[in-house]
Amino acid sequence: MEWKPHITVATVVEDNGRFLMVEELKGERAVLNQPAGHLDPNESLIDAAIRETLEETGYDVELTGVIGIYLYTAPSNGVTYQRVCFAGKALQHHPDYALDTGIIGPLWLTRDELLEQRHRWRSELSLQCIDDYLDGKLFDLTLIRPSV
């Protein structure tokens, strides 16, 4: 069996102490996550984060920095994910945008409200990314280099 990590992106979008989250179905269960998803072929990490945020929330965003790069092995299936997490700001909401299959919709939650719903987290990375953002861990977007 060949081991292959999955490359994903996520976006932390904060507005007045509330964070843009996604309520989505995982199996039969509604879970919470940041706007996040897989990198597509021939796509930059930055483009992937902007695309995934729009597809899962209906929000156009401007990325403002890189929060961190995380490795996470999902206990449910043993798959390892490499997540590049970006900070961004919401520019415009498209309420009639057709969201991805399985997405219930966007939610704006405070950190405390998110903590109250720990049983609904898709992964522990959600809070880790928010906490790193709140701790000021933000790197310039030039950290992400184009492919050669």
Side-chain angles (χ1 to χ4, degrees):
M1 182 170 147
E2 187 177 332
W3 179 78
K4 293 182 182 177
H6 295 246
I7 299 173
T8 61
V9 294
T11 308
V12 172
V13 179
E14 187 259 343
D15 183 33
N16 293 316
R18 295 194 175 275
F19 295 92
L20 180 60
M21 302 298 291
V22 174
E23 186 176 25
E24 62 186 337
L25 292 174
K26 184 176 182 194
E28 298 296 316
R29 194 170 153 244
V31 298
L32 299 173
N33 197 13
Q34 268 106 21
H38 288 82
L39 178 69
D40 284 346
N42 302 312
E43 183 176 43
S44 75
L45 292 165
I46 290 171
D47 289 343
I50 292 168
R51 174 186 54 77
E52 285 290 349
T53 304
L54 177 62
E55 290 176 353
E56 294 191 351
T57 68
Y59 279 89
D60 290 323
V61 294
E62 176 186 347
L63 301 182
T64 58
V66 179
I67 297 170
I69 300 170
Y70 306 82
L71 278 180
Y72 175 75
T73 300
S76 61
N77 60 13
V79 173
T80 299
Y81 298 90
Q82 179 185 27
R83 174 187 271 202
V84 180
C85 188
F86 294 90
K89 65 178 181 178
L91 298 176
Q92 181 177 1
H93 185 224
H94 305 279
D96 297 326
Y97 191 87
L99 303 178
D100 278 352
T101 302
I103 301 296
I104 298 167
L107 296 171
W108 288 93
L109 300 173
T110 65
R111 184 185 184 281
D112 288 343
E113 290 169 335
L114 185 60
L115 273 175
E116 291 169 3
Q117 299 187 57
R118 183 179 213 120
H119 64 283
R120 295 185 61 208
W121 295 356
R122 182 154 181 180
S123 84
E124 299 287 322
L125 284 179
S126 295
L127 187 65
Q128 181 66 56
C129 291
I130 287 172
D131 283 348
D132 286 349
Y133 168 82
L134 290 171
D135 286 343
K137 295 180 178 148
L138 195 62
F139 301 90
D140 192 272
L141 286 172
T142 58
L143 178 70
I144 305 299
R145 308 300 295 165
S147 60
V148 290

